Amino acid sequence: MSNLTIRAAEPRDCEQLVALVNLPGYRHGTLRTPFQSTEWMRKRLASAPLGFTEIVAEKDGAIVGKAGLQQFEDRRRHAGTIGIGVHDDFQGNGIGSALLSALVDVADNWLAITRLELMVNADNVSAIRLYEKAGFEREGLMKAFAFRAGGYVDAIAMARVIAQKSI
């Protein structure tokens, strides 16, 4: 997608990020509940844990996606978890791919992460396809993983593991 910039999320993005996470389609694929506030987002950005990378996709000054990578600590320092979301009106335009590529680059080339994990709703076929194209494999099914829109949704645990010495 032309005119797409991937950059770090900043405090000035709070209002746009809240608008993004409150979109019905965006929220549908996440664990977010409705009615997130700007103050909640400000606190979230200000108190990000050590080892957390949060990025946004920006097109013509508008935030159209966001993603995060949390590196674990201690004996799981080699691993991290990711999450990605794209604006309802911009899905299917390569934004998720661009965000995922940026996170994988950070994991591989800057943080020495060899295991990237994620959970994806089992009915999110396009996201599953995206992750599989990036080398993520299904590791398990979590039944009734989350409550969404009055019912339970299953989730698939996926991971991308770079070859390493195992015991």
Side-chain angles (χ1 to χ4, degrees):
M1 174 173 258
S2 64
N3 299 330
L4 186 70
T5 302
I6 305 297
R7 62 171 177 78
E10 300 177 6
R12 67 182 167 100
D13 300 325
C14 282
E15 289 187 22
Q16 285 195 66
L17 287 171
V18 168
L20 178 68
V21 302
N22 281 318
L23 291 170
Y26 180 99
R27 185 176 58 246
H28 187 79
T30 71
L31 294 175
R32 301 255 180 262
T33 55
F35 311 116
Q36 301 295 315
S37 70
T38 304
E39 185 58 28
W40 164 82
M41 183 60 74
R42 272 194 189 89
K43 287 179 182 176
R44 186 174 181 279
L45 287 175
S47 64
L50 188 64
F52 186 68
T53 301
E54 187 158 25
I55 59 176
V56 297
E58 186 177 51
K59 180 175 173 38
D60 301 324
I63 293 177
V64 295
K66 75 180 216 56
L69 163 63
Q70 175 65 57
Q71 185 174 21
F72 299 130
E73 297 177 351
D74 301 325
R75 292 175 53 187
R76 295 217 59 222
R77 186 161 193 69
H78 69 288
T81 186
I82 65 169
I84 297 174
V86 175
H87 191 290
D88 295 14
D89 296 337
F90 291 89
Q91 293 179 5
N93 290 302
I95 294 167
S97 294
L99 288 165
L100 180 58
S101 178
L103 290 182
V104 166
D105 177 65
V106 170
D108 289 353
N109 297 308
W110 298 96
L111 299 177
I113 292 175
T114 58
R115 178 183 171 81
L116 275 178
E117 305 170 353
L118 61 89
M119 298 295 289
V120 59
N121 290 338
D123 61 357
N124 194 342
V125 177
S126 59
I128 294 167
R129 199 171 320 131
L130 169 67
Y131 298 135
E132 287 177 339
K133 282 188 350 188
F136 285 79
E137 296 179 10
R138 297 171 192 226
E139 293 191 328
L141 178 67
M142 310 291 282
K143 294 187 177 195
F145 179 75
F147 191 72
R148 178 186 71 194
Y152 289 94
V153 61
D154 296 344
I156 299 172
M158 300 183 79
R160 175 185 171 270
V161 181
I162 297 172
Q164 57 192 4
K165 180 181 175 184
S166 297
I167 298 175

